[in-house]
């Protein structure tokens, strides 16, 4: 429990909530309990409803909160507060490295990616989807594979392209950026190179740069490639690797109302996929004398770290199943999911430290284990923090009673509907 309260100290949780106006000074709402109830309530699938979060809160806090009192706390300021906690956690929590690759050559290896979250159709004005009568949010992550942490998160509507969230600049110096096809732009590659950074990306199928030189000599009657376009000849090759220099034409950024044309030379590498009888084509600025084609394929597999995170968020935490019409609640649940992931990783780090060296903890198996023990962890955490919830019987009465006096329960509705017929 000390590990978790060090990650998010109660004093910090309370003070920052006051700064943002999430709670008033008399603190009728116990903000540390609310945070932990959201974290562990989201982890436990059976409690991942607003009523379930309230029950988790009431099972931990000194004083229960009514449904109306709980729901009125689900505000944009609470969403902002939880986002701040996520950003704080990102600085503290390491995400385990799933790929064994030699990355010491670089200051950092960065992975940019995004995923779409499907939302209630009534939110389409706030979170515009790519199709009519649909709503969707896009979660963008910038993951540092070297430091094993997420450096940045952004949430936009579905129509926002991943590419627009990736900003080039001096921060790229000495870093290797692994990009999927959503970020493919020759101008972006040129800017990474000009900021003394490095990149590896898959080559788009409709990208067809001209080959200016072959970087590997082949014995015998090899097909000459210089002067040809890469996509025009790739189907005619049977060699294990392709390793060539290409020249790509692109438009520079707008300057004084015009965009000038420019060219840049990059390296294109192909690694043969024997099962599919084709090539995986990569474009990069990494030099051949340091990185062979097989090295590039190994480096690019680091991207699976982010893919694994997205898969865990969607399969274990059902991140894309938000059945609410309230935009603030969408953000609250999204950041609660990310906080659950960060807390899960912090506990995994603790478990790994305590376990024997030969024991391995697969991330998704650990996630399922964490979820199954979430309510127990919340109970012990509440005791550790000194909270004394009401007796169990009192909580059962509070949770099970009829809430809305004007809303008939099913038995009352049936009795009213059948009464005239019975009298007749």
């Amino acid at each position: 429990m000390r590990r978790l309260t060090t990650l998010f100290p109660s004093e910090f949780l309370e003070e920052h909530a006051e700064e943002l106006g999430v709670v008033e000074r008399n603190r009728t709402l116990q903000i540390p309990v609310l945070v932990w109830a959201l974290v562990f309530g989201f982890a436990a699938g059976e409690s991942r409803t607003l009523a379930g979060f309230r029950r988790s809160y009431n099972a931990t806090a000194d004083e229960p909160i009514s449904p109306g009192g709980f729901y009125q706390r689900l505000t944009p300021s609470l969403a902002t507060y939880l986002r701040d906690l996520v950003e704080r956690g990102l600085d503290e929590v390491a995400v385990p490295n799933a790929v064994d690759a030699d990355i010491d050559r670089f200051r950092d290896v960065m992975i940019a990616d995004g995923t779409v979250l499907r939302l209630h159709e009534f939110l389409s004005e706030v979170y515009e989807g790519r199709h009519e009568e649909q709503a969707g949010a896009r979660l963008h992550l910038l993951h540092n594979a070297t430091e094993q942490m997420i450096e940045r998160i952004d949430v936009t509507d579905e129509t926002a392209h991943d590419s627009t969230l990736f900003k080039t600049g001096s921060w790229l110096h000495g870093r290797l950026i692994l990009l999927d096809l959503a970020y493919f732009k020759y101008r972006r590659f040129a800017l990474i190179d000009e900021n003394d950074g490095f990149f590896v990306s898959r080559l788009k199928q409709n990208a067809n740069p001209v080959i200016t030189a072959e970087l590997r000599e082949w014995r015998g009657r090899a097909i000459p490639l210089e002067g040809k376009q890469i996509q025009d000849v790739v189907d005619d090759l049977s060699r294990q690797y392709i390793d060539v220099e290409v020249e790509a034409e692109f438009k520079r950024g707008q300057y004084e109302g015009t965009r000038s044309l420019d060219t840049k030379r990059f390296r294109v590498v192909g690694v043969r996929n024997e099962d599919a009888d084709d090539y995986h084509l990569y474009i990069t600025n990494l030099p051949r004398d340091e990185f062979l084609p097989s090295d590039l394929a190994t480096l690019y597999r680091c991207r699976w770290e982010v893919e694994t995170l997205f898969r865990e968020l969607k399969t274990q935490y059902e991140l894309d199943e938000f059945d609410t019409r309230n935009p603030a609640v969408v953000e609250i649940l999204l950041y609660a999911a990310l906080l659950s992931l960060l807390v899960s990783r912090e506990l995994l780090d603790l478990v790994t430290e305590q376990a024997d060296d030969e024991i391995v903890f697969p991330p998704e198996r650990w996630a399922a284990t964490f979820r199954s023990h979430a309510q127990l962890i919340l109970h012990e955490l509440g005791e550790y923090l000194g909270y004394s919830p009401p007796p169990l019987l009192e909580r059962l009465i509070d949770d099970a009673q009829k809430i809305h006096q004007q809303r008939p329960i099913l038995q009352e509705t049936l009795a009213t509907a059948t009464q005239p017929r019975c009298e007749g």
Side-chain angles (χ1 to χ4, degrees):
M1 298 302 110
R2 186 182 299 111
R3 189 72 165 255
L4 296 181
T5 55
T6 300
L7 180 63
F8 296 116
S10 293
E11 184 177 0
F12 164 77
L13 294 176
E14 292 169 347
E15 290 178 352
H16 193 53
E18 284 188 6
E19 291 173 4
L20 296 182
V22 176
V23 294
E24 59 280 350
R25 289 192 178 276
N26 60 16
R27 294 179 182 173
T28 55
L29 181 74
Q30 294 173 314
I31 196 68
V33 180
L34 177 63
V35 170
W36 293 119
L38 288 171
V39 169
F40 291 104
F42 203 98
E46 64 273 13
S47 301
R48 200 179 296 131
T49 64
L50 298 184
F53 289 131
R54 187 180 74 88
R55 284 192 291 270
S56 293
Y57 177 91
N58 287 347
T60 310
D62 293 332
E63 295 290 337
I65 188 171
S66 67
F70 181 77
Y71 299 145
Q72 71 179 13
R73 305 290 183 177
L74 305 178
T75 62
S77 62
L78 177 59
T80 301
Y81 173 74
L82 294 178
R83 179 189 173 93
D84 289 349
L85 297 188
V86 170
E87 291 181 348
R88 174 188 172 94
L90 294 179
D91 292 336
E92 303 292 335
V93 179
V95 178
N97 190 350
V99 177
D100 182 17
D102 182 11
I103 56 178
D104 294 338
R105 162 72 168 76
F106 310 102
R107 181 160 67 98
D108 290 303
V109 175
M110 311 296 294
I111 307 168
D113 207 349
T115 191
V116 172
L117 313 174
R118 188 59 53 211
L119 305 178
H120 197 288
E121 62 183 16
F122 286 174
L123 291 173
S124 59
E125 291 188 4
V126 181
Y127 291 101
E128 184 181 355
R130 289 192 176 276
H131 304 284
E132 291 186 13
E133 299 182 354
Q134 281 192 356
R138 188 178 292 274
L139 173 64
H140 309 260
L141 294 182
L142 183 62
H143 176 54
N144 188 324
T146 305
E147 299 295 332
Q148 300 179 34
M149 61 181 290
I150 301 169
E151 286 209 356
R152 178 176 172 177
I153 60 169
D154 291 285
V155 180
T156 65
D157 63 33
E158 184 185 357
T159 60
H161 201 277
D162 292 311
S163 177
T164 62
L165 275 296
F166 186 90
K167 306 299 183 184
T168 53
S170 59
W171 70 274
L172 292 162
H173 179 81
R175 284 175 157 160
L176 171 65
I177 316 299
L178 304 179
L179 303 167
D180 77 353
L181 294 177
Y183 299 85
F184 188 99
K185 278 187 179 181
Y186 291 136
R187 181 163 65 92
R188 175 171 294 113
F189 301 155
L191 289 172
I192 293 173
D193 185 71
E194 290 159 10
N195 279 281
D196 296 321
F198 306 94
F199 71 90
V200 179
S201 169
R202 291 292 296 270
L203 186 71
K204 272 190 172 181
Q205 287 188 344
N206 62 354
N208 203 10
V210 176
I211 299 170
T212 56
E214 294 193 57
L215 302 179
R216 175 173 177 172
E217 294 184 1
W218 295 90
R219 297 177 181 176
R221 299 175 61 186
I223 299 175
L225 303 181
E226 188 172 339
K228 299 178 181 178
Q229 292 179 282
I230 183 68
Q231 302 287 6
D232 296 344
V233 296
V234 67
D235 290 338
D236 298 326
L237 302 177
S238 59
R239 60 189 69 172
Q240 185 177 2
Y241 299 115
I242 301 170
D243 200 349
V244 297
E245 180 189 75
V246 300
E247 184 173 81
E249 185 178 76
F250 61 96
K251 289 184 177 180
R252 288 285 182 179
Q254 188 166 322
Y255 179 72
E256 295 184 349
T258 62
R259 300 182 65 187
S260 60
L261 283 174
D262 202 352
T263 59
K264 191 83 172 179
R265 293 194 175 188
F266 303 110
R267 180 184 174 200
V268 168
V269 163
V271 179
R272 190 160 190 81
N273 179 5
E274 297 295 345
D275 293 335
D277 193 28
D278 62 5
Y279 289 92
H280 289 164
L281 294 176
Y282 305 93
I283 185 169
T284 184
N285 64 340
L286 292 175
R288 173 175 168 73
D289 57 353
E290 295 185 52
F291 296 92
L292 298 175
S294 58
D295 297 329
L296 296 182
T298 300
L299 283 170
Y300 196 77
R301 281 200 294 271
C302 288
R303 281 189 43 77
W304 278 108
E305 291 195 33
V306 170
E307 299 294 340
T308 300
L309 287 178
F310 284 145
R311 186 171 69 239
E312 181 177 335
L313 284 168
K314 288 189 172 184
T315 59
Q316 296 295 333
Y317 298 99
E318 299 176 6
L319 186 61
D320 57 348
E321 297 183 15
F322 292 145
D323 189 18
T324 176
R325 306 179 185 185
N326 188 327
V329 172
V330 169
E331 292 190 37
I332 288 168
L333 295 178
L334 172 60
Y335 295 130
L338 293 172
L339 284 171
S340 296
L341 178 64
L342 291 172
V343 168
S344 169
R345 289 293 194 257
E346 184 71 359
L347 290 179
L348 174 57
D349 188 50
L350 175 63
V351 168
T352 304
E353 290 176 4
Q354 299 297 319
D356 294 336
D357 292 341
E358 65 273 11
I359 297 179
V360 177
F361 300 99
E364 292 192 17
R365 182 176 179 84
W366 164 255
T369 302
F370 171 71
R371 285 187 56 204
S372 66
H373 291 79
Q375 291 295 347
L376 176 61
I377 298 172
L378 178 61
H379 176 72
E380 292 200 7
L381 181 60
E383 290 186 344
Y384 180 82
L385 292 173
Y387 294 106
S388 301
L392 177 60
L393 182 59
E394 184 178 328
R395 282 184 276 135
L396 290 173
I397 294 172
D398 179 67
D399 285 341
Q401 66 180 287
K402 179 180 173 182
I403 297 174
H404 301 285
Q405 297 302 320
Q406 302 302 319
R407 182 183 298 170
I409 59 177
L410 179 61
Q411 292 92 328
E412 294 173 350
T413 304
L414 289 174
T416 303
T418 57
Q419 187 175 4
R421 185 180 304 169
C422 293
E423 290 177 351

